[in-house]
Amino acid sequence: DLIDQPKPSLLLADNVSGLHETRVGGFFFPQTVDDVREVINRARRFGRKICMRGTMHCMGGHNVATDAFVIDFKFMKKIDIHPEKFQVT
């Protein structure tokens, strides 16, 4: 389930290098576009940044931000990118 209230977190995220451990606000594993929308709406409501990742293959910690909501897309079957509309569906 998605969280209702952000609380101080003891959750830690890292990238594949293992050199950039960072405290985050939560991990989310959406399976649908509606799941992603829900996380984005909660992040807006609580003033949280969003970090997106798939398989953590980003060196240097570029996919992790302190207290952010981490959206991990590894369970999404398909993602379409529409750069002209600034949309992902």
Side-chain angles (χ1 to χ4, degrees):
D1 274 32
L2 298 173
I3 61 173
D4 288 324
Q5 291 288 331
K7 297 176 175 74
S9 175
L10 297 176
L11 297 172
L12 299 173
D14 211 334
N15 60 17
V16 71
S17 72
L19 300 174
H20 193 73
E21 192 172 75
T22 303
R23 183 188 72 229
V24 297
F27 292 94
F28 302 88
F29 300 88
Q31 295 181 0
T32 67
V33 172
D34 286 337
D35 292 344
V36 175
R37 284 187 186 114
E38 177 65 21
V39 177
I40 291 169
N41 288 334
R42 287 174 188 260
R44 283 182 182 147
R45 185 174 24 194
F46 298 120
R48 297 293 180 106
K49 293 180 180 178
I50 296 172
C51 295
M52 299 178 287
R53 69 181 190 184
T55 57
M56 299 181 1
H57 288 279
C58 175
M59 303 302 281
H62 303 296
N63 62 344
V64 183
T66 302
D67 295 325
F69 287 175
V70 178
I71 302 175
D72 192 318
F73 288 97
K74 67 182 168 185
F75 297 118
M76 294 283 292
K77 295 186 189 298
K78 182 180 177 187
I79 298 173
D80 293 318
I81 299 172
H82 309 284
E84 69 285 352
K85 297 178 184 179
F86 297 100
Q87 282 185 332
V88 178
T89 58

